[in-house]
Amino acid sequence: MVLSRHVIITPCPDRPGTSILFSAKRGALILVDDELLAAIGAGGLDADEEQILAELGFLVPDHASEQQEMRSFIDESNRVSRSFSALVILNLSCNLACSYCFEGNRRGAHFMDDDTADRLVAYLISGPVAEGRSLSLRFYGGEPLLSVPTIRRIARPLKKVMDARGLSFSFSLTTNGTLLTRELVEELIPLGLVGATVTLDGPPDVHDAARPFVGGEGSFSVILANLKAVADLIALEIGGNFTPETYREYPRLFDLLVAEGLGPERLALMRFNAVMSAGENRALPEFTGGCASVNEPWLKDATLFIREELLRRGFPAPGLSPHFCAIEAEDSLIVNHDGTFYRCPAFIGIEGLAAGSLNDGPSDHAASHGLGGWKNEECLSCAYLPLCFGGCRYYGYLEHGRIDRVSCGRDLFDAIVGPFLALEVKYRHQPGEDSTDTDGDPD
């Protein structure tokens, strides 16, 4: 047995003579002393030790077979999946006027009509439901809660069919939170609502500057009141978008949430991302600041700063684990308000990136989207491959004007993975606890 190519080893800063080993293939983390680390490197382990480390993804029979395993990783994931998810864009309208609106010049009074909603229901019932798959939807916008009648029109018949067939059905919302009232949530829960992702871009002054109502007034206080009112009913994920100027303001938000009764025990996940700019490709024409590359130097500091502030307060934050771009997944789909299919919501409206429709079914997007572009020697030998499989294709679009090229994040991974793992140990692995972590979040 040999050490996997996809193992990251870094010293544990708080425990002299100890190293952190992380398997990017399994999302497993272990702490080993110098003696054991030397034995692993020299092949000096007994059979039981080898078996445990092999099961956790640290040891492999040989690198050739491991490379073949990684080549087929996504194919195998697609083969064994018994679920199906769809992100449904109900409209491109919104009651906020965010400074970095991701819809850009596509924003407007564009809503999914009843015929399209009915065809979506029929498509799902005749496809993944007929195959016996569980089904989860995420309603998106614009602001999806401007289309509540359409949510009912889609969810009600699907819930009825899924219940009759003994299959699992649920849906969640990606919403700005201003319309997420307790009354509405109580109405939607019987139809399958289980959770919502709500954006807070910082404490009130920062958030309200970035995400005011269309009329100009701040939205933070309305959102906070709604979150407090529904936190006991559904799983809440707090998201947010930051720039180089705003990311250090997040601790004030975290402390405010705790003071308002929205501490770690009441939130399912906290996840924050850099605002992506349009770059020269003008994909997001309304906003020209932010991040045009995953390797911009300030991202390292921002990522680690926010993560430590979350962990310090005990908030749930996603871990490192295998992850690949949605364009490679056969068990998911993005459906635009007009019934056009896409493989990523960031691609909506970009010429040449549609991937079928409700009328015609899915199209073959292997060539246009560069599926498997990461199956090259450089990527296959990279320790970080399971964490990115070629990276974010939208970042690739911003960098190269096309999505069929790898968007390499090695520089950022080199900068943050070691400190990231050290934070995991510091805040999530206390002395005397089991030092193996396999609960990473794949998003």
Side-chain angles (χ1 to χ4, degrees):
M1 302 287 279
V2 297
L3 194 65
S4 165
R5 283 181 169 183
H6 308 296
V7 170
I8 293 98
I9 304 174
T10 187
C12 185
D14 296 330
R15 304 184 189 185
T18 302
S19 293
I20 304 168
L21 272 63
F22 176 74
S23 168
K25 290 197 304 183
R26 299 286 187 271
L29 180 155
I30 61 173
L31 302 178
V32 299
D33 59 27
D34 291 344
E35 182 179 352
L36 180 56
L37 181 60
I40 293 172
L45 301 175
D46 62 36
D48 288 341
E49 290 172 327
E50 281 195 345
Q51 181 179 353
I52 292 172
L53 292 179
E55 290 174 353
L56 292 174
F58 293 100
L59 296 180
V60 295
D62 57 77
H63 289 146
S65 61
E66 180 179 45
Q67 186 174 93
Q68 184 55 42
E69 174 195 0
M70 298 313 299
R71 283 180 174 275
S72 61
F73 187 97
I74 295 177
D75 292 337
E76 179 64 11
S77 176
N78 285 327
R79 186 187 69 81
V80 302
S81 175
R82 299 308 305 158
S83 62
F84 191 87
S85 63
L87 187 148
V88 182
I89 296 151
L90 297 174
N91 60 63
L92 293 178
S93 184
C94 191
N95 58 342
L96 297 187
C98 302
S99 59
Y100 53 81
C101 179
F102 293 122
E103 272 67 51
N105 60 8
R106 298 187 297 275
R107 176 173 169 164
H110 308 295
F111 289 79
M112 179 175 286
D113 60 29
D114 289 349
D115 178 66
T116 302
D118 292 343
R119 285 187 289 122
L120 172 60
V121 172
Y123 176 85
L124 294 171
I125 291 175
S126 65
V129 176
E131 296 169 358
R133 295 174 180 264
S134 62
L135 180 63
S136 62
L137 304 183
R138 177 172 288 271
F139 291 114
Y140 196 81
E143 172 47 51
L145 293 181
L146 293 174
S147 295
V148 172
T150 309
I151 293 176
R152 297 189 193 104
R153 193 177 187 98
I154 294 171
R156 184 174 286 117
L158 286 174
K159 181 75 161 58
K160 182 177 179 179
V161 170
M162 298 294 280
D163 285 350
R165 300 189 184 189
L167 299 172
S168 172
F169 171 74
S170 64
F171 71 87
S172 58
L173 306 163
T174 296
T175 170
N176 61 40
T178 60
L179 303 173
L180 191 70
T181 65
R182 186 176 182 91
E183 179 182 11
L184 179 59
V185 167
E186 289 176 336
E187 177 197 342
L188 294 179
I189 286 175
L191 300 183
L193 176 64
V194 295
T197 298
V198 177
T199 301
L200 293 174
D201 278 358
D205 55 320
V206 176
H207 174 93
D208 287 343
R211 301 178 67 83
F213 282 104
V214 171
E217 63 273 23
S219 62
F220 186 94
S221 61
V222 175
I223 298 169
L224 181 64
N226 285 340
L227 292 175
K228 292 166 66 175
V230 304
D232 62 323
L233 299 177
I234 58 174
L236 287 178
E237 176 179 333
I238 303 299
N241 309 290
F242 58 81
T243 68
E245 296 75 32
T246 64
Y247 74 86
R248 290 191 176 277
E249 303 298 329
Y250 270 113
R252 290 199 286 131
L253 170 65
F254 303 156
D255 290 340
L256 175 60
L257 291 176
V258 172
E260 292 288 340
L262 289 170
E265 70 285 350
R266 301 195 74 192
L267 299 174
L269 193 65
M270 303 277 277
R271 187 198 309 266
F272 302 92
N273 299 293
V275 172
M276 291 191 290
S277 81
E280 295 180 357
N281 297 296
R282 309 305 295 163
L284 304 173
E286 256 64 5
F287 188 74
T288 56
C291 184
S293 168
V294 72
N295 290 314
E296 290 193 11
W298 67 273
L299 267 182
K300 170 196 172 183
D301 293 336
T303 300
L304 295 174
F305 174 82
I306 293 173
R307 184 165 190 83
E308 179 155 22
E309 295 299 325
L310 285 171
L311 296 181
R312 187 197 311 278
R313 294 164 175 81
F315 280 111
L320 291 173
S321 65
H323 173 75
F324 53 87
C325 181
I327 70 168
E328 306 251 14
E330 296 177 359
D331 60 358
S332 67
L333 190 65
I334 290 86
V335 184
N336 198 14
H337 65 89
D338 61 0
T340 305
F341 293 165
Y342 291 89
R343 305 306 304 185
C344 171
F347 297 165
I348 292 171
I350 300 179
E351 186 176 356
L353 295 187
S357 69
L358 287 171
N359 287 333
D360 303 323
S363 61
D364 184 355
H365 63 286
S368 62
H369 288 56
L371 301 192
W374 50 271
K375 294 180 181 180
N376 59 74
E377 183 58 37
E378 182 178 4
C379 287
L380 288 167
S381 62
C382 177
Y384 308 120
L385 173 66
L387 304 180
C388 76
F389 286 101
C392 172
R393 302 310 195 270
Y394 185 66
Y395 272 126
Y397 181 81
L398 294 181
E399 293 171 0
H400 310 300
R402 50 194 293 184
I403 65 168
D404 59 350
R405 293 179 60 179
V406 166
S407 176
C408 182
R410 184 195 293 268
D411 290 347
L412 181 64
F413 283 130
D414 280 344
I416 71 168
V417 169
F420 186 104
L421 296 174
L423 289 176
E424 291 293 291
V425 173
K426 180 178 180 179
Y427 291 104
R428 290 181 166 174
H429 295 281
Q430 298 303 316
E433 292 185 351
D434 185 340
S435 61
T436 300
D437 178 15
T438 57
D439 64 352
D441 186 327
D443 273 334

